[in-house]
Amino acid sequence: MNTPLTTTQTTATPVTTATPASVYQQLRGHLTELKLADAADALPRVLDQAQAEGWSLTHALERLLSIEVTATDARRLSGRFRFANLPTGATLDDFDLDAASGIDRNLLAELGTCRYLETATNVLLIGPPGVGKTHIATGLGHAAVQAGYRTYFTSAADLAARCHRAAIEGKWGTMMRFFAGPTLLVIDELGYLPLPAEAASALFQVINQRYLKTSIVITTNRPVGAWGEILGDTTEAAAMLDRLLHRSVVVTLDGGSYRLRNHAAQSNELRRVTTGTNFR
């Protein structure tokens, strides 16, 4: 005798309709879990605006995500500026071209586009103290950071000192990778301070590993013919210049000192205000 199969009936649990408040909390929780903190913070504002203005779901979602993207871009920009180690906030727009001598306006504008970085072209800024070399170098760094390029600013003396310390501590490879990393490396004030004997080797290694891959901006008060004297090694200086100049823009500046002009202008303004006399 066959035993009849027992049919078990299951009663479906009715689906509880989520309340708008719980859906809102879930949505905010999802955004937080996905680390979209700015979108989570903006959610109530965007929902209120969407309801008030009759936005579509697509429009509201686009507005919410655009807030997150804008905040992310701002954080990345801030991080690039922190890493860049720029000495001031000087930009190319701040540079007084009317007082400068030896620089082409069109050339400076072209450098400001950062297109030279796409071809790993180097920029050498040569001239006496005070003519604006560091200002231009800083401005180029500022433009590169704004354009999304990883940038690092250092003085020649600091670069040499850090490489020397790394060699002593057995971290030479790590230091070389650090200086090879940025798309733009700015080396300021080559020739201003005496460099130790090993500085030529350190500078050559940094320049050599970046050769035809990434760009370098160098400021110096000495003509390239005197670099052997600066570095204490004419052979290494020649090899360094061979790589730097292979694909480069050389800007020679002259004229009076920016700092002295600014000092004179400030003094003149102070006298004018206190005495009513304009000194020339």
Side-chain angles (χ1 to χ4, degrees):
M1 179 177 177
N2 294 330
T3 303
L5 295 175
T6 303
T7 303
T8 303
Q9 291 184 340
T10 58
T11 303
T13 304
V15 178
T16 303
T17 303
T19 65
S22 65
V23 172
Y24 168 80
Q25 291 300 333
Q26 287 176 344
L27 177 55
R28 189 178 176 92
H30 293 332
L31 293 171
T32 302
E33 183 69 21
L34 292 171
K35 303 187 186 304
L36 304 177
D38 290 278
D41 290 342
L43 181 60
R45 182 174 74 254
V46 171
L47 291 178
D48 288 344
Q49 190 173 3
Q51 185 175 21
E53 300 182 19
W55 291 354
S56 67
L57 180 60
T58 303
H59 186 175
L61 185 58
E62 187 282 328
R63 178 62 60 89
L64 189 66
L65 293 181
S66 70
I67 290 171
E68 185 67 37
V69 169
T70 298
T72 299
D73 287 344
R75 285 192 295 271
R76 288 173 177 168
L77 179 62
S78 178
R80 289 197 301 273
F81 270 117
R82 284 196 301 273
F83 177 81
N85 193 40
L86 297 174
T88 67
T91 68
L92 295 178
D93 289 338
D94 300 332
F95 189 71
D96 187 359
L97 278 165
D98 292 330
S101 177
I103 185 166
D104 186 325
R105 290 172 182 269
N106 293 330
L107 173 61
L108 194 62
E110 172 61 25
L111 291 174
T113 67
C114 297
R115 283 190 290 188
Y116 69 97
L117 297 174
E118 298 171 8
T119 55
T121 297
N122 303 309
V123 180
L124 274 64
L125 300 167
I126 304 172
V131 294
K133 300 185 302 298
T134 298
H135 185 137
I136 294 175
T138 303
L140 290 174
H142 191 281
V145 171
Q146 287 282 8
Y149 294 102
R150 198 158 180 255
T151 301
Y152 189 73
F153 187 105
T154 182
S155 68
D158 186 60
L159 184 150
R162 291 180 65 180
C163 289
H164 177 66
R165 185 165 59 250
I168 294 173
E169 296 173 354
K171 299 177 180 178
W172 178 264
T174 301
M175 188 57 61
M176 288 297 105
R177 285 191 295 274
F178 174 83
F179 283 119
T183 304
L184 175 61
L185 176 65
V186 181
I187 303 175
D188 194 31
E189 298 182 336
L190 178 64
Y192 283 78
L193 297 173
L195 297 174
E198 67 276 6
S201 177
L203 280 167
F204 173 76
Q205 291 296 332
V206 169
I207 290 169
N208 187 53
Q209 67 181 347
R210 296 178 62 88
Y211 178 52
L212 298 182
K213 299 174 186 174
T214 46
S215 298
I216 299 174
V217 171
I218 292 183
T219 74
T220 178
N221 63 335
R222 306 292 296 278
V224 293
W227 280 26
E229 178 186 341
I230 295 171
L231 300 172
D233 188 322
T234 55
T235 301
E236 209 142 30
M240 191 184 306
L241 284 167
D242 180 62
R243 287 156 176 78
L244 282 173
L245 297 175
H246 177 197
R247 190 181 291 166
S248 67
V249 174
V250 179
V251 180
T252 302
L253 296 96
D254 52 27
S257 168
Y258 259 67
R259 283 180 279 275
L260 291 179
R261 284 199 302 273
N262 288 340
H263 175 71
Q266 290 169 2
S267 298
N268 188 40
E269 178 62 16
L270 179 61
R271 291 187 183 114
R272 188 190 66 78
V273 170
T274 55
T275 68
T277 305
N278 188 24
F279 289 82
R280 295 277 180 188

Coordinates of all heavy atoms in Angstrom, one line a residue, residues 36-68:
L36 N 31.5 57.1 0.8 CA 31.1 58.3 0.0 C 30.6 59.3 1.0 O 29.4 59.6 1.0 CB 30.1 57.9 -1.0 CG 30.5 56.8 -2.0 CD1 29.3 56.5 -3.0 CD2 31.7 57.2 -2.8
A37 N 31.5 59.7 1.9 CA 31.0 60.6 3.0 C 30.4 61.9 2.6 O 29.4 62.3 3.2 CB 32.2 60.8 3.9
D38 N 31.0 62.5 1.6 CA 30.4 63.8 1.2 C 29.0 63.6 0.6 O 28.1 64.5 0.8 CB 31.4 64.5 0.2 CG 32.6 64.9 0.9 OD1 32.6 66.0 1.5 OD2 33.6 64.2 0.8
A39 N 28.8 62.6 -0.2 CA 27.5 62.3 -0.7 C 26.5 62.0 0.4 O 25.4 62.4 0.3 CB 27.6 61.1 -1.7
A40 N 27.0 61.3 1.4 CA 26.1 61.0 2.6 C 25.7 62.2 3.3 O 24.5 62.4 3.6 CB 26.8 60.0 3.5
D41 N 26.6 63.1 3.5 CA 26.3 64.4 4.1 C 25.3 65.3 3.3 O 24.5 66.0 3.8 CB 27.6 65.2 4.4 CG 28.5 64.5 5.5 OD1 27.9 63.7 6.2 OD2 29.7 64.9 5.5
A42 N 25.5 65.2 2.0 CA 24.7 66.0 1.1 C 23.3 65.4 0.8 O 22.4 66.1 0.2 CB 25.4 66.2 -0.2
L43 N 23.1 64.1 1.2 CA 21.9 63.4 0.8 C 20.6 64.2 1.2 O 19.7 64.4 0.3 CB 21.9 62.0 1.4 CG 20.7 61.2 1.1 CD1 20.5 60.9 -0.4 CD2 20.8 59.8 1.8
P44 N 20.4 64.6 2.4 CA 19.2 65.3 2.8 C 18.9 66.6 2.0 O 17.8 66.9 1.5 CB 19.3 65.6 4.3 CG 20.7 65.5 4.6 CD 21.3 64.5 3.6
R45 N 20.0 67.3 1.7 CA 19.9 68.5 0.9 C 19.5 68.3 -0.5 O 18.6 68.9 -1.1 CB 21.2 69.3 1.0 CG 21.2 70.6 0.3 CD 22.5 71.4 0.5 NE 23.6 70.9 -0.3 CZ 24.6 70.2 0.2 NH1 24.7 69.9 1.5 NH2 25.6 69.7 -0.6
V46 N 20.1 67.2 -1.1 CA 19.8 66.9 -2.5 C 18.4 66.3 -2.6 O 17.6 66.7 -3.5 CB 20.8 65.8 -3.0 CG1 20.4 65.3 -4.4 CG2 22.2 66.5 -3.1
L47 N 17.9 65.5 -1.6 CA 16.6 65.0 -1.7 C 15.5 66.1 -1.5 O 14.5 66.1 -2.2 CB 16.4 63.9 -0.6 CG 17.2 62.6 -0.8 CD1 16.9 61.7 0.4 CD2 16.8 61.9 -2.1
D48 N 15.8 67.0 -0.6 CA 14.9 68.1 -0.5 C 14.8 69.0 -1.8 O 13.7 69.4 -2.2 CB 15.3 69.0 0.7 CG 15.1 68.4 2.0 OD1 14.3 67.4 2.1 OD2 15.7 68.8 3.0
Q49 N 16.0 69.2 -2.4 CA 16.0 70.0 -3.6 C 15.3 69.3 -4.7 O 14.6 69.9 -5.6 CB 17.4 70.4 -4.0 CG 17.5 71.4 -5.1 CD 18.9 71.9 -5.3 OE1 19.9 71.4 -4.7 NE2 19.1 72.8 -6.2
A50 N 15.5 68.0 -4.8 CA 14.9 67.1 -5.9 C 13.4 67.2 -5.7 O 12.7 67.3 -6.8 CB 15.4 65.7 -5.8
Q51 N 12.9 67.1 -4.5 CA 11.4 67.1 -4.3 C 10.9 68.5 -4.6 O 9.8 68.6 -5.3 CB 11.1 66.7 -2.9 CG 9.6 66.6 -2.6 CD 9.4 66.1 -1.2 OE1 10.2 66.1 -0.3 NE2 8.2 65.5 -1.0
A52 N 11.6 69.5 -4.2 CA 11.1 70.9 -4.4 C 11.0 71.2 -5.9 O 10.1 72.0 -6.3 CB 11.9 71.8 -3.6
E53 N 12.0 70.8 -6.7 CA 12.1 71.2 -8.1 C 11.7 70.1 -9.0 O 11.8 70.3 -10.3 CB 13.6 71.6 -8.3 CG 14.1 72.7 -7.5 CD 15.5 73.2 -7.8 OE1 16.0 72.9 -8.9 OE2 16.1 73.9 -6.9
G54 N 11.2 69.0 -8.5 CA 10.7 67.9 -9.4 C 11.7 67.2 -10.2 O 11.5 66.9 -11.4
W55 N 12.9 67.0 -9.7 CA 14.0 66.3 -10.4 C 13.6 64.9 -10.7 O 12.9 64.2 -9.9 CB 15.3 66.3 -9.6 CG 15.9 67.7 -9.5 CD1 15.5 68.8 -10.1 CD2 17.1 68.0 -8.7 NE1 16.4 69.9 -9.7 CE2 17.3 69.4 -8.9 CE3 17.9 67.3 -7.9 CZ2 18.4 70.0 -8.2 CZ3 19.0 67.9 -7.2 CH2 19.2 69.3 -7.4
S56 N 14.1 64.3 -11.7 CA 14.0 62.9 -12.0 C 15.0 62.2 -11.1 O 15.9 62.8 -10.5 CB 14.4 62.6 -13.5 OG 15.7 62.9 -13.7
L57 N 14.8 60.8 -11.0 CA 15.8 60.0 -10.2 C 17.2 60.2 -10.7 O 18.1 60.3 -10.0 CB 15.3 58.6 -10.2 CG 16.1 57.6 -9.4 CD1 16.2 58.0 -7.9 CD2 15.6 56.2 -9.5
T58 N 17.3 60.1 -12.1 CA 18.6 60.3 -12.7 C 19.3 61.6 -12.3 O 20.5 61.6 -12.0 CB 18.5 60.1 -14.2 OG1 17.9 58.9 -14.5 CG2 19.9 60.2 -14.9
H59 N 18.5 62.7 -12.4 CA 19.0 64.0 -12.1 C 19.5 64.1 -10.7 O 20.6 64.6 -10.4 CB 18.0 65.0 -12.4 CG 18.4 66.4 -12.2 ND1 17.6 67.5 -12.5 CD2 19.6 67.0 -11.8 CE1 18.3 68.7 -12.3 NE2 19.5 68.3 -11.9
A60 N 18.7 63.5 -9.7 CA 19.1 63.6 -8.3 C 20.3 62.8 -8.1 O 21.2 63.2 -7.3 CB 17.9 63.1 -7.5
L61 N 20.4 61.6 -8.7 CA 21.6 60.7 -8.5 C 22.9 61.4 -9.0 O 23.9 61.3 -8.4 CB 21.4 59.4 -9.2 CG 22.4 58.3 -9.0 CD1 22.6 58.0 -7.5 CD2 22.1 57.0 -9.7
E62 N 22.7 62.0 -10.2 CA 23.9 62.7 -10.8 C 24.4 63.8 -9.9 O 25.6 64.0 -9.7 CB 23.5 63.2 -12.2 CG 24.7 63.8 -13.0 CD 25.1 65.2 -12.5 OE1 24.2 66.0 -12.1 OE2 26.3 65.5 -12.6
R63 N 23.4 64.6 -9.4 CA 23.8 65.7 -8.5 C 24.5 65.2 -7.2 O 25.5 65.7 -6.8 CB 22.6 66.5 -8.1 CG 22.8 67.7 -7.1 CD 23.8 68.7 -7.8 NE 23.2 69.3 -9.0 CZ 22.4 70.3 -9.0 NH1 22.1 70.9 -7.8 NH2 22.0 70.8 -10.1
L64 N 24.0 64.1 -6.7 CA 24.6 63.5 -5.5 C 26.0 63.0 -5.7 O 26.9 63.3 -4.9 CB 23.7 62.4 -5.0 CG 24.1 61.8 -3.6 CD1 23.8 62.8 -2.5 CD2 23.2 60.5 -3.3
L65 N 26.2 62.3 -6.8 CA 27.5 61.8 -7.1 C 28.5 62.9 -7.6 O 29.7 62.8 -7.3 CB 27.4 60.7 -8.2 CG 26.7 59.4 -7.8 CD1 26.7 58.4 -8.9 CD2 27.3 58.8 -6.5
S66 N 28.0 63.9 -8.2 CA 28.9 65.0 -8.6 C 29.5 65.7 -7.4 O 30.6 66.2 -7.4 CB 28.1 66.0 -9.5 OG 27.2 66.7 -8.7
I67 N 28.7 65.8 -6.3 CA 29.2 66.4 -5.1 C 30.3 65.5 -4.5 O 31.4 66.1 -4.1 CB 28.0 66.5 -4.0 CG1 27.0 67.5 -4.4 CG2 28.6 66.8 -2.6 CD1 25.8 67.5 -3.6
E68 N 30.2 64.2 -4.6 CA 31.3 63.3 -4.1 C 32.5 63.4 -5.0 O 33.6 63.5 -4.5 CB 30.8 61.9 -4.1 CG 31.8 60.9 -3.5 CD 32.0 61.1 -2.0 OE1 31.1 61.4 -1.3 OE2 33.2 60.9 -1.6

